[in-house]
Amino acid sequence: MSDQQEFPDYDLNDYADPENAETPSTNTGLALPGQNLPDKVYIIPIHNRPFFPAQVLPVIVNEEPWAETLELVSKSEHHSLALFFMDTPPEDPRHFDTSSLPLYGTLVKVHHASRENGKLQFVAQGLTRVRIRTWLKHHRPPYLVEVEYPHQPSEPTDEVKAYGMALINAIKELLPLNPLYSEELKNYLNRFSPNDPSPLTDFAAALTSATGNELQEVLDCVPMLKRMEKVLPMLRKEVEVARLQKELSAEVNRKIGEHQREFFLKEQLKVIQQELGLTKDDRSADVEQFEQRLEGKVLPAQAKKRIDEELNKLSILETGSPEYAVTRNYLDWATSVPWGVYGKDKLDLKHARKVLDKHHAGLDDIKSRILEFLAVGAYKGEVAGSIVLLVGPPGVGKTSVGKSIAESLGRPFYRFSVGGMRDEAEIKGHRRTYIGALPGKLVQALKDVEVMNPVIMLDEIDKMGQSFQGDPASALLETLDPEQNVEFLDHYLDLRLDLSKVLFVCTANTLDSIPGPLLDRMEVIRLSGYITEEKVAIAKRHLWPKQLEKAGVAKNSLTISDGALRALIDGYAREAGVRQLEKQLGKLVRKAVVKLLDAPDTVIKIGNKDLESSLGMPVFRNEQVLSGTGVITGLAWTSMGGATLPIEATRIHTLNRGFKLTGQLGEVMKESAEIAYSYISSNLKSFGGDPKFFDEAFVHLHVPEGATPKDGPSAGVTMASALLSLARNQPPKKGVAMTGELTLTGHVLPIGGVREKVIAARRQKIHELILPEPNRGSFEELPEYLKEGMTVHFAKRFADVAKVLF
């Protein structure tokens, strides 16, 4: 097929041919009757863009199948052929749909045909528009057609002249923007008069970068005025694009020039300053910067010696060497540590109490523990480094208590989570021989806070991982132990740091996964769940205002009643913390905002009745306190807080002795059940039951909510009481809940989570409890509002339990 392309090695002026070209007398590119134009010509399709009568351009076509066509053209008298534009080349040029050719093509005179590398090249000189009248040969190349030439009146109208002037002006604007156009204009002026509208219009169209189909529309348009109307907007668009390109190029060149000038001036200035001794090179500047950083800091002798050695080394090394970069990074970190810089503590207990009360509702026992801790510091004159471990269920405010401690002391606070950390280098740093080595998180923390006595919080310390890269929990032993961290060694710095004045605050959900040696170094403060009263206060003081602010709602536009808050807490957010409560309050606010968008001036009040429509049915229903023979209410601790745990025992049949357990119980709980069964079986007579009851009874013990895994020894007395109630066939006293571990000899051992279990009992409106005697102290330590209205029996042996129940 063909490709149309310009070749710089032709002088196109050689092909100016006034005889055959459209001269001023022939007007508008249309042949007059007197002109010697052939009525039968061969055609070749082209695919790049249409060829215009005003053009002289080289054309390249494939030797196969157009060689024969060009030979026949060269033997003809007129040496002419017709070029027709085809938008998409056919798969086989020997067979194409003749109807796919456009209405008009261009008759061109062929000059200098040559052959090279399977291609034919010739210079085509555009003569006039041509239209196919009939196909004489169309089965395969060479294609021969009979043609006709369009005619048009020769006198141009005033409107045509006006358009001609507009085109000439646009071409004038285009010439300064792109020098390539001036060459084409010279070639055009050698062949045509600038006042001849037809070739002028075609020339203007050929200058544009319009698509092939748009240009073909111009070629198909014979009437002069219509054609000019099509071409003028195309040419104006070309002028705008060329102008924009020139502006962009000028802007880019200006910026590059500015940068180069700036670079040369800076380099010259640097050389002049060095010659005059006014400035130093990069290396001297680095050394000076590091020395300035150390001013006002008190370095230990070992650190001072090491840093001086590294500074001497830096001043010798070449700035381009890798060792220079390593040494510079090392000094950057070593001089950023706030050696000997300590912040002054605010040891004002009134201020501390105010801060704690402002940020936290409830938690009175925790606040008093923190104030005691601060009081010791105030008495001594400094809060020495120690480790506080805040343990409690999610959402009870462990992290925010840590922040409050820092705020009440007036110390900077730095928090990082160690949950999932598997690499001990995160704590102690990498050795600096490795690429990309960094100091540990503690050095990074000291650099950020700029004092040696901040409050550093290690969040989620119970969720640390282990891997082949080391055990970060063991790496924390040296970090946290006040006896050892006076000389904490970071692997990267390889210098001893004194962390003994740092106050470490750790948080955890449970203590089970914290290694014993690490736990031993910490002062444990337990944050239990909140009771409903505390949650209502937290919601009113903190959570509800926060959600309104988040949604941008005015306080007087949306309110919630205390009754609705209580119903929300009991029915939708009964967990120990307040995260779920915050989410549900956020949901209520979002639902209200939808209504406020429709009616902005309304005041929305959320009451009990509105909860179900906004939040759906309550997630939690009031746990039914089961009662009857063989049914006892126990108390359980979970990581989410406390819960009541009913236990049921029943006799299935009396055919043989047997004991069955259900309710997804863990190993320890199964053992507790076995102990309870053995103890009651062997001591039934002393508790007023039939000694032979278990000899011939098949007993089934079940702990409801069978889908929930349960474990732990604290249900021992509850299970024994259920079995005793069954054996005596006597229902226990109503409204009593209990907890405690039972031994085979009937001793009641202490349990954990007393506060959570008391909260769970209060929630279920149970006000009589049986607790192990060793837990008396834990109960006495509880806040008064939790103990108020509770009757508690402390049991040393199981007989004490039986007395209360029966």
Side-chain angles (χ1 to χ4, degrees):
M1 300 276 23
S2 69
D3 254 333
Q4 188 181 335
Q5 182 183 339
E6 289 194 35
F7 290 88
D9 51 341
Y10 287 106
D11 181 358
L12 301 182
N13 297 334
D14 295 347
Y15 307 110
D17 185 356
E19 281 182 39
N20 286 338
E22 295 169 334
T23 59
S25 60
T26 58
N27 243 341
T28 71
L30 306 174
L32 291 179
Q35 238 181 327
N36 182 23
L37 294 172
D39 56 355
K40 293 175 188 174
V41 291
Y42 292 98
I43 69 163
I44 291 179
I46 55 176
H47 306 297
N48 195 8
R49 51 193 275 148
F51 201 98
F52 282 92
Q55 287 182 294
V56 178
L57 285 176
V59 175
I60 299 175
V61 295
N62 291 329
E63 191 175 339
E64 178 59 37
W66 306 113
E68 192 180 344
T69 303
L70 282 173
E71 276 178 35
L72 291 168
V73 168
S74 66
K75 289 173 185 172
S76 68
E77 286 181 21
H78 48 75
H79 297 299
S80 303
L81 57 81
L83 295 177
F84 279 84
F85 172 68
M86 279 181 79
D87 190 21
T88 48
E91 289 181 15
D92 185 358
R94 295 181 193 82
H95 306 286
F96 68 87
D97 182 10
T98 54
S99 64
S100 63
L101 288 182
L103 184 63
Y104 281 98
T106 301
L107 183 73
V108 300
K109 192 160 190 178
V110 176
H111 298 275
H112 292 293
S114 62
R115 185 181 306 211
E116 190 176 342
N117 297 329
K119 300 280 182 188
L120 294 168
Q121 182 174 310
F122 60 91
V123 174
Q125 176 191 355
L127 300 177
T128 181
R129 282 173 174 71
V130 63
R131 183 167 64 192
I132 297 170
R133 185 187 291 165
T134 51
W135 285 79
L136 301 175
K137 186 182 177 192
H138 60 82
H139 296 300
R140 61 185 181 78
Y143 300 115
L144 185 62
V145 291
E146 192 174 326
V147 294
E148 61 184 6
Y149 303 98
H151 294 270
Q152 185 169 312
S154 58
E155 277 305 310
T157 64
D158 289 345
E159 207 171 344
V160 167
K161 285 177 183 174
Y163 266 105
M165 288 305 296
L167 287 172
I168 288 169
N169 287 336
I171 291 168
K172 280 180 183 174
E173 282 183 55
L174 201 56
L175 289 177
L177 300 173
N178 191 335
L180 289 174
Y181 295 133
S182 58
E183 288 300 317
E184 293 193 31
L185 183 65
K186 275 184 203 169
N187 176 45
Y188 168 77
L189 292 174
N190 281 335
R191 300 178 61 223
F192 301 102
S193 160
N195 301 319
D196 192 351
S198 178
L200 178 68
T201 309
D202 289 341
F203 171 68
L207 283 183
T208 68
S209 56
T211 63
N213 288 326
E214 288 173 330
L215 293 172
Q216 182 60 47
E217 283 178 27
V218 174
L219 194 62
D220 286 345
C221 187
V222 175
M224 196 69 256
L225 194 58
K226 274 190 182 177
R227 198 186 333 158
M228 287 179 145
E229 284 172 357
K230 280 182 188 290
V231 172
L232 187 58
M234 289 163 65
L235 193 59
R236 293 303 320 168
K237 183 182 172 187
E238 196 68 26
V239 171
E240 291 305 317
V241 170
R243 185 173 286 127
L244 184 62
Q245 282 180 334
K246 188 166 187 184
E247 283 173 11
L248 291 172
S249 300
E251 181 64 19
V252 169
N253 290 336
R254 186 183 65 76
K255 283 184 179 175
I256 290 171
E258 277 178 12
H259 286 148
Q260 281 181 331
R261 185 168 177 274
E262 207 174 288
F263 174 75
F264 287 134
L265 287 172
K266 277 182 181 174
E267 289 300 309
Q268 284 177 330
L269 182 65
K270 211 184 273 184
V271 171
I272 292 164
Q273 285 177 332
Q274 281 179 7
E275 289 293 322
L276 294 173
L278 297 174
T279 188
K280 299 169 181 66
D281 57 9
D282 292 345
R283 183 170 37 201
S284 309
D286 283 342
V287 170
E288 197 170 286
Q289 181 195 1
F290 296 141
E291 284 172 345
Q292 277 175 356
R293 275 193 201 169
L294 294 173
E295 285 172 17
K297 293 180 180 177
V298 183
L299 275 75
Q302 182 205 5
K304 179 90 175 73
K305 182 184 173 192
R306 181 70 181 278
I307 288 172
D308 287 346
E309 285 172 3
E310 294 292 331
L311 283 168
N312 288 336
K313 183 176 167 186
L314 191 75
S315 58
I316 297 164
L317 289 166
E318 280 299 320
T319 52
S321 73
E323 184 65 19
Y324 181 86
V326 172
T327 307
R328 193 192 176 288
N329 283 347
Y330 175 82
L331 282 166
D332 188 27
W333 279 105
T335 56
S336 297
V337 174
W339 301 100
V341 180
Y342 293 94
K344 194 162 174 52
D345 288 338
K346 280 186 200 164
L347 297 170
D348 179 358
L349 291 188
K350 282 183 185 172
H351 167 72
R353 191 174 280 115
K354 210 179 278 181
V355 169
L356 290 168
D357 286 338
K358 177 184 161 191
H359 292 303
H360 304 278
L363 301 179
D364 293 334
D365 48 343
I366 305 303
K367 289 178 189 171
S368 60
R369 281 289 297 276
I370 292 166
L371 288 169
E372 287 163 17
F373 172 75
L374 297 178
V376 172
Y379 189 77
K380 188 183 172 188
E382 65 163 358
V383 177
S386 62
I387 314 144
V388 176
L389 174 61
L390 302 168
V391 185
V396 294
K398 298 183 292 297
T399 306
S400 52
V401 165
K403 284 183 187 167
S404 299
I405 293 172
E407 193 180 328
S408 58
L409 276 172
R411 289 190 182 189
F413 178 76
Y414 187 92
R415 174 193 165 274
F416 68 94
S417 176
V418 293
M421 188 186 282
R422 296 179 305 169
D423 188 355
E424 61 162 11
E426 293 278 337
I427 306 289
K428 296 186 118 181
H430 309 82
R431 302 198 181 282
R432 67 175 171 135
T433 47
Y434 299 119
I435 291 172
L438 279 174
K441 280 276 186 218
L442 292 158
V443 173
Q444 293 179 38
L446 294 176
K447 179 186 176 182
D448 281 8
V449 297
E450 297 178 350
V451 290
M452 290 297 278
N453 60 339
V455 175
I456 295 181
M457 171 168 273
L458 308 173
D459 232 343
E460 311 289 359
I461 201 162
D462 56 330
K463 296 179 186 67
M464 263 191 296
Q466 279 190 8
S467 76
F468 63 92
Q469 287 161 309
D471 175 10
S474 301
L476 277 177
L477 293 179
E478 181 198 355
T479 311
L480 299 180
D481 190 342
E483 301 297 321
Q484 296 178 42
N485 66 13
V486 179
E487 291 197 330
F488 170 76
L489 183 69
D490 182 86
H491 289 159
Y492 180 83
L493 292 180
D494 206 21
L495 296 172
R496 300 280 175 185
L497 292 160
D498 181 4
L499 300 183
S500 62
K501 300 289 188 287
V502 176
L503 174 55
F504 289 101
V505 180
C506 307
T507 71
N509 294 134
T510 61
L511 300 178
D512 308 344
S513 54
I514 302 175
L518 185 57
L519 189 60
D520 185 47
R521 287 165 166 78
M522 301 181 183
E523 187 178 339
V524 178
I525 297 180
R526 287 184 179 276
L527 282 83
S528 309
Y530 298 105
I531 59 171
T532 306
E533 286 75 15
E534 290 174 334
K535 282 191 179 180
V536 169
I538 291 167
K540 283 165 77 174
R541 278 172 50 185
H542 300 289
L543 306 181
W544 184 249
K546 182 178 168 186
Q547 290 300 329
L548 290 178
E549 188 185 339
K550 200 173 171 183
V553 179
K555 286 180 184 177
N556 51 5
S557 300
L558 179 59
T559 56
I560 185 167
S561 68
D562 286 7
L565 273 178
R566 285 176 185 280
L568 175 66
I569 289 160
D570 283 339
Y572 299 87
R574 208 182 272 182
E575 86 287 9
V578 289
R579 273 209 194 107
Q580 192 62 30
L581 175 59
E582 188 174 3
K583 285 178 191 170
Q584 299 296 348
L585 289 171
K587 203 171 181 182
L588 286 175
V589 171
R590 289 196 299 275
K591 298 270 184 190
V593 167
V594 174
K595 294 176 189 170
L596 285 171
L597 278 175
D598 296 333
D601 298 329
T602 53
V603 174
I604 297 176
K605 293 179 179 175
I606 299 171
N608 288 26
K609 293 173 185 173
D610 305 315
L611 293 181
E612 279 190 25
S613 61
S614 295
L615 303 176
M617 294 299 288
V619 180
F620 300 97
R621 61 194 187 284
N622 279 334
E623 294 165 20
Q624 195 179 348
V625 179
L626 304 175
S627 60
T629 304
V631 181
I632 302 285
T633 303
L635 294 170
W637 179 90
T638 69
S639 61
M640 298 296 285
T644 53
L645 189 74
I647 291 176
E648 306 169 322
T650 185
R651 180 171 66 177
I652 299 172
H653 56 73
T654 55
L655 299 176
N656 62 324
R657 180 190 178 99
F659 183 54
K660 183 179 183 181
L661 280 171
T662 52
Q664 202 172 341
L665 311 180
E667 287 301 318
V668 176
M669 205 160 178
K670 283 179 186 171
E671 287 173 5
S672 291
E674 297 285 351
I675 291 165
Y677 180 72
S678 300
Y679 176 73
I680 296 297
S681 299
S682 58
N683 294 283
L684 194 49
K685 188 176 179 181
S686 61
F687 291 119
D690 177 7
K692 293 181 181 174
F693 178 83
F694 287 108
D695 295 344
E696 49 195 35
F698 190 93
V699 176
H700 185 169
L701 188 81
H702 175 63
V703 185
E705 292 192 31
T708 312
K710 310 163 199 74
D711 201 5
S714 62
V717 295
T718 319
M719 290 171 165
S721 301
L723 291 170
L724 181 57
S725 170
L726 177 69
R728 288 175 56 148
N729 196 23
Q730 179 187 354
K733 183 179 180 181
K734 283 191 175 181
V736 179
M738 66 184 71
T739 180
E741 182 179 351
L742 183 68
T743 68
L744 271 177
T745 54
H747 286 87
V748 180
L749 300 184
I751 43 80
V754 171
R755 179 186 168 120
E756 287 88 343
K757 290 173 180 178
V758 172
I759 289 172
R762 285 187 79 95
R763 194 188 297 131
Q764 290 305 108
K765 302 196 170 40
I766 296 172
H767 296 289
E768 193 169 352
L769 302 180
I770 300 173
L771 298 177
E773 175 65 39
N775 284 111
R776 186 187 288 269
S778 307
F779 180 77
E780 295 300 334
E781 284 175 8
L782 292 180
E784 286 304 319
Y785 64 83
L786 282 182
K787 295 190 285 187
E788 192 183 336
M790 299 296 280
T791 306
V792 181
H793 308 278
F794 294 100
K796 282 186 178 177
R797 299 183 60 83
F798 184 73
D800 304 333
V801 178
K803 269 182 205 167
V804 175
L805 285 178
F806 305 107

